[in-house]
């Protein structure tokens, strides 16, 4: 059967992580965000939990980006 609905939800992964670290519980959080906590044993990944992938979008003001030399390499890296 399906799991019950969450009793508490957050609109921010950062807030969710802070709650889990302080109060315990479970959550789907970005891997890059929880990796340090998994490494130290503060959090644990459930082996059978589903894995979700989400698209990321970068929106840049072309005029402003001309002054930022790091923008083009970032776009190229994200495009891979």
């Amino acid at each position: 059967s399906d799991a019950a609905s969450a009793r508490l939800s957050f609109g921010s992964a950062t807030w969710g992580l802070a709650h889990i670290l302080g109060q315990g519980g479970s959550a789907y959080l970005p891997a890059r965000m929880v990796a340090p906590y998994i490494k130290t044993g503060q959090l644990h990944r459930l082996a059978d939990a589903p894995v979700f992938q989400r698209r990321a979008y970068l929106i840049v003001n072309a005029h402003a980006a001309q002054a930022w030399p790091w923008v083009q390499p970032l776009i190229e890296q994200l495009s891979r």
Side-chain angles (χ1 to χ4, degrees), residues 1 7 9 16 21 25 29 39 43 50 52 55 62-63:
S1 77
R7 291 186 185 192
S9 64
L21 292 172
L29 298 168
K39 186 174 182 178
L43 295 178
F52 299 94
R55 291 180 182 238
H63 178 71

Side-chain angles (χ1 to χ4, degrees), residues 1-27:
S1 77
D2 291 338
S5 297
R7 291 186 185 192
L8 184 63
S9 64
F10 293 92
S12 163
T14 302
W15 295 345
L17 175 60
H19 181 79
I20 295 296
L21 292 172
Q23 305 298 317
S26 60

Side-chain angles (χ1 to χ4, degrees), residues 23-80:
Q23 305 298 317
S26 60
Y28 287 104
L29 298 168
R32 68 183 182 283
M33 177 182 277
V34 298
Y37 301 97
I38 292 173
K39 186 174 182 178
T40 63
Q42 289 177 274
L43 295 178
H44 305 278
R45 185 178 184 278
L46 297 177
D48 295 335
V51 175
F52 299 94
Q53 293 185 353
R54 296 173 46 183
R55 291 180 182 238
Y57 297 91
L58 175 65
I59 300 170
V60 179
N61 178 302
H63 178 71
Q66 291 174 2
W68 301 330
W70 52 267
V71 170
Q72 190 58 42
L74 174 64
I75 292 170
E76 292 169 6
Q77 180 68 28
L78 292 173
S79 297
R80 295 183 188 169

